[in-house]
Amino acid sequence: RFRIAGCSDSDGEEMYTLDGEEKWYADFINKKGVEPQPSFIDHISLEEGGYEQAVANQQVCRQNLENVRKAMK
């Protein structure tokens, strides 16, 4: 299982993959977690609150980004 997370001033990404296949991602536009695998495939589900945790992670990421910018000035 592999997690990808990142942010910028205007965008963010949080996604989980397994064996190169996207298993879950946070859809920040529609404000929900998405499991893109077809229903007939046994797929991984994130625990309750996965999307909310992704939102919190984005807030931390943006704060860290701001702190790095200030430190580099």
Side-chain angles (χ1 to χ4, degrees):
R1 189 165 162 178
F2 188 69
R3 175 180 174 252
I4 297 171
C7 68
S8 69
D9 291 332
S10 62
D11 203 4
E13 177 78 25
E14 181 131 359
M15 175 181 71
Y16 290 89
T17 68
L18 181 65
D19 296 330
E21 296 290 327
E22 188 175 49
K23 300 297 182 185
W24 185 93
Y25 68 90
D27 181 344
F28 294 115
I29 294 171
N30 293 308
K31 299 181 178 167
K32 65 180 183 175
V34 177
E35 296 174 349
Q37 298 294 311
S39 60
F40 59 84
I41 293 176
D42 184 26
H43 54 86
I44 297 172
S45 292
L46 249 59
E47 66 277 351
E48 187 75 25
Y51 175 76
E52 291 78 11
Q53 183 62 49
V55 170
N57 291 345
Q58 289 296 300
Q59 292 171 346
V60 170
C61 183
R62 287 195 175 94
Q63 184 62 50
N64 289 340
L65 184 60
E66 183 179 326
N67 291 340
V68 167
R69 285 184 180 144
K70 286 180 183 178
M72 294 184 78
K73 286 186 177 182

